[in-house]
Amino acid sequence: MTVIIANMIDLVASIILVGSGSIKQKTKILVVQIIQLLMQAASMLLLGGITGAISNVLSCFRNYLCYQEKLNAYWKAFFIAASIGMTILVNEQGLLGIIPAAVCTVFILFMDVKDPVKFKLLVTLSCIPWMFYHYFLKSYVGAIFDFASTITNTMTLYSMLKEKE
């Protein structure tokens, strides 16, 4: 029953994620992601994905600071250290539990890129490891929608590149 409830929560979060794939403005992407991340954190907690839930909650604060254009080197280092530190403390999933911290680290390092095409590429590539994390966590809805989001983001990225020409 827990798997079903978690997947229902993830369904709503995933619909929001896929919808964000058509958004081109960085600030709007970040706001929509905060809502989606909180919902998915709840789903992950139900499925035992503690490192993923922690990563998502940290990502909400990170996105807020980025939205406010206050994400500086200090905050980036803080969020990377918090993500890695919390993963070391609570990870009971082995290599699977490392995926959220790895994705979080890469995302934080590059999320303040100004070029919207490069930012969209970062968002697109960030969905792929989450797809595997969700699948092995039994968040099947999350995995399917991560795949769909990758496709949607790729199509939007293609559109953005065509517009740039």
Side-chain angles (χ1 to χ4, degrees):
M1 186 58 136
T2 303
V3 172
I4 293 170
I5 293 169
N7 275 274
M8 288 177 10
I9 293 168
D10 214 355
L11 175 62
V12 176
S14 296
I15 290 169
I16 293 168
L17 175 68
V18 171
S20 75
S22 64
I23 300 171
K24 296 179 183 177
Q25 293 121 341
K26 182 178 178 178
T27 54
K28 288 182 182 177
I29 292 169
L30 294 171
V31 170
V32 170
Q33 273 188 349
I34 288 172
I35 297 164
Q36 177 263 329
L37 288 166
L38 287 173
M39 293 180 74
Q40 225 164 30
S43 172
M44 284 185 234
L45 279 177
L46 289 171
L47 295 170
I50 297 169
T51 61
I54 289 169
S55 177
N56 277 15
V57 171
L58 288 172
S59 295
C60 291
F61 291 110
R62 172 205 71 203
N63 283 8
Y64 177 75
L65 286 174
C66 188
Y67 174 77
Q68 296 293 323
E69 296 188 11
K70 294 181 180 180
L71 186 68
N72 55 30
Y74 167 79
W75 282 111
K76 285 175 134 184
F78 171 80
F79 286 118
I80 290 170
S83 179
I84 292 170
M86 291 302 292
T87 297
I88 291 168
L89 288 174
V90 303
N91 184 19
E92 295 179 355
Q93 299 173 293
L95 289 176
L96 182 66
I98 296 171
I99 290 173
V103 175
C104 180
T105 299
V106 171
F107 196 86
I108 288 170
L109 289 173
F110 297 105
M111 75 180 292
D112 55 358
V113 65
K114 300 295 181 205
D115 183 346
V117 171
K118 290 179 182 174
F119 185 74
K120 181 54 84 172
L121 179 62
L122 176 65
V123 170
T124 304
L125 294 176
S126 294
C127 287
I128 296 168
W130 279 109
M131 179 175 50
F132 293 103
Y133 183 80
H134 287 131
Y135 176 78
F136 289 111
L137 196 62
K138 296 184 181 163
S139 176
Y140 304 118
V141 170
I144 290 167
F145 275 87
D146 286 334
F147 177 75
S149 182
T150 301
I151 299 302
T152 305
N153 276 297
T154 300
M155 291 171 24
T156 302
L157 185 60
Y158 177 77
S159 165
M160 291 169 76
L161 288 169
K162 289 289 258 185
E163 289 173 10
K164 214 173 184 179
E165 290 177 359

